[in-house]
Amino acid sequence: MHGGRLGLGQGTALYMGAVLGPGVLALPALAAAAAGPASMISWAILLLLSVPVALTFAALGARYPDGGGVSSFVARAYGPRASACVGWLFYAAVPVGVLAGALAGGNYLAVVLGLPQGAEYGAAALILAVAVAANYAGLQVSGRLQLVLAGLLVLLLASATVFALPHVSADRFTPFMPDGWLSVGSAALVLFYAFSGWEAASHLSAEFTDPRRHLPRATAITLSTVGALYLGLSFVTIGVLGDGARTSAVPLMDLLVTGLGDGARGLTAAAALCLSLGAVNTFIAGAARLGAALGRDGALPGRLAKGGGAGQVPRRSLTVQAVLTGACTLVAWLLPLAIDPLMRVTSAFLAAVTAAGMAASLRLLRRGTPMWWAALVATVFTVVVMAFSGWLLVLPLLVAGGAMLYMRSGSRRGRGRPRPVDGRHAGSGTGEGAGTRSGEGEFAAEGTSVDH
């Protein structure tokens, strides 16, 4: 029996908050700066890529609901050491990623409210503090907050697209590809941040009251909504702002002002707050549960495992995330760091996590089925996008190396194997349909497949 308390509405809102996040505040401009009007190709490619990724994670999450998310899928396919590497990658990426998202919202608030330079870091810190506090209160409080935020942000983004549409000009789409085809890949890398929420959402699978029924529905609703909003927003950003999209720090505000007038500035501030808080809320919730799962499985100190069961609050892991995020915020303020490098670093980490999850699905899904072929295509596309990270790939490699050293040192002390939780082996899932075909709760043997 699941201890999760998320229904379809709250779960869908959390999923939508993870995928439809603060990236839309800054990414249209960053993508346009990288590829011009051709950045729309990058949006379309990544939207197509997200379909098999989302459906595969939904299928595995419904079968194996667990707070470990992608790392638990990798554990079943390749064992606990590979799982530890993937878990560390996501756990390390979240403090940087949520800071980037909070800064995107903080930039808008600072511009709209006329705050002095540097105030965006204070606004970002406030957004992060609210999200952490909501998660300390428990996922039901966090889920209710997300439900409100999701409705508001969908309404605001749809309004920005609809009201800006009459101002689109065909002249602004030429030259269509001023920087060549490689620029499309560069834009795709930074845009990967906007499509990386499926990894975060996968850690919430055990929190649904009925993962087998709710996960596929939540995924389908999120995919269709996000797809329509992203494509519409990318089109009007180029069609309305033209070359100005390359240099605008607040493209969404520019669209709303064009469509609705100067009175839309306040609306933009509300949109920025909703988008940032929504995504940060989901990513922190997912990372906190991942940390508890990693502690349970011996990939992080066992103290972090407390509160990691479905329906519980992993406050120790959440505290670690809060401290790491606070440290990243302080460093970014002191240097200072812009949003673009923060998003690219996050994308490099999350692309590696997605590639690992897709590679695991190739072992866990039945070979030759439509879902298996979709996972294969998604794996190839993700590896190609990841290649555009260039030297940034050194960072996830270093973190993965740290995970391997930690697991190896733990093995020498007799601590590197999955730990039993409530009579089951860690990584086996926590609900109906969880576990391997043998029903023993061990990690799936090589070649184990799921019927989809």
Side-chain angles (χ1 to χ4, degrees), residues 31-414:
S39 61
M40 290 191 301
I41 298 177
S42 304
W43 283 99
I45 289 174
L46 284 173
L47 180 59
L48 290 174
L49 168 65
S50 70
V51 173
V53 170
L55 294 179
T56 300
F57 283 161
L60 294 178
R63 177 72 178 182
Y64 306 117
D66 185 72
V70 178
S71 66
S72 69
F73 307 151
V74 173
R76 291 178 174 278
Y78 300 107
R81 290 192 177 183
S83 170
C85 291
V86 174
W88 274 45
L89 289 179
F90 187 87
Y91 204 65
V94 167
V96 181
V98 296
L99 172 58
L103 272 176
N107 277 337
Y108 271 71
L109 290 174
V111 170
V112 171
L113 300 178
L115 300 178
Q117 186 176 5
E120 64 271 16
Y121 295 98
L126 180 60
I127 292 171
L128 292 169
V130 172
V132 169
N135 277 278
Y136 269 116
L139 198 59
Q140 276 213 295
V141 174
S142 179
R144 292 191 187 103
L145 172 65
Q146 192 71 29
L147 193 59
V148 175
L149 294 177
L152 288 174
L153 69 89
V154 168
L155 177 62
L156 290 168
L157 290 177
S159 299
T161 302
V162 170
F163 287 109
L165 196 59
H167 302 274
V168 170
S169 172
D171 294 339
R172 297 190 176 100
F173 292 93
T174 56
F176 185 73
M177 195 178 293
D179 301 310
W181 278 102
L182 288 179
S183 65
V184 175
S186 178
L189 173 64
V190 70
L191 287 177
F192 197 90
Y193 181 94
F195 292 89
S196 57
W198 303 111
E199 296 88 344
S202 68
H203 299 287
L204 304 177
S205 57
E207 301 295 336
F208 282 84
T209 54
D210 188 351
R212 283 180 175 267
R213 189 163 58 94
H214 290 158
L215 270 174
R217 294 182 183 180
T219 300
I221 294 171
T222 302
L223 267 174
S224 57
T225 304
V226 167
L229 290 174
Y230 273 168
L231 290 179
L233 194 62
S234 65
F235 176 77
V236 297
T237 296
I238 298 296
V240 173
L241 302 181
D243 288 338
R246 287 174 171 256
T247 57
S248 175
V250 286
L252 182 60
M253 185 185 74
D254 293 339
L255 288 176
L256 284 168
V257 169
T258 300
L260 299 174
D262 287 337
R265 292 180 181 272
L267 193 61
T268 304
L273 181 62
C274 291
L275 286 165
S276 298
L277 185 56
V280 167
N281 183 40
T282 300
F283 270 82
I284 289 177
R289 279 151 186 80
L290 169 63
L294 292 174
R296 174 199 67 192
D297 295 348
L300 282 177
R303 290 178 176 272
L304 297 183
K306 185 175 181 180
Q312 298 178 355
V313 181
R315 290 188 172 89
R316 291 180 177 178
S317 177
L318 181 57
T319 299
V320 172
Q321 279 292 312
V323 170
L324 291 175
T325 302
C328 288
T329 304
L330 180 61
V331 170
W333 175 64
L334 291 174
L335 289 181
L337 289 177
I339 293 179
D340 185 82
L342 292 173
M343 286 188 171
R344 288 184 180 272
V345 168
T346 306
S347 295
F349 274 86
L350 296 183
V353 172
T354 300
M358 291 298 97
S361 71
L362 295 178
R363 282 196 169 188
L364 297 176
L365 298 174
R366 185 174 296 280
R367 182 179 294 272
T369 61
M371 187 66 74
W372 186 89
W373 283 108
L376 178 62
V377 171
T379 303
V380 173
F381 270 115
T382 305
V383 170
V384 171
V385 171
M386 190 169 60
F388 282 92
S389 299
W391 71 269
L392 290 176
L393 287 177
V394 173
L395 299 178
L397 286 175
L398 289 175
V399 172
M404 291 296 291
L405 290 175
Y406 183 88
M407 293 294 285
R408 185 173 297 176
S409 65
S411 295
R412 286 197 293 267
R413 297 194 300 269

Side-chain angles (χ1 to χ4, degrees), residues 413-442:
R413 297 194 300 269
R415 181 194 38 78
R417 295 183 61 81
R419 303 180 179 190
V421 177
D422 297 333
R424 291 176 296 230
H425 287 281
S428 64
T430 57
E432 183 183 354
T436 63
R437 286 176 178 268
S438 65
E440 297 298 325
E442 298 289 353

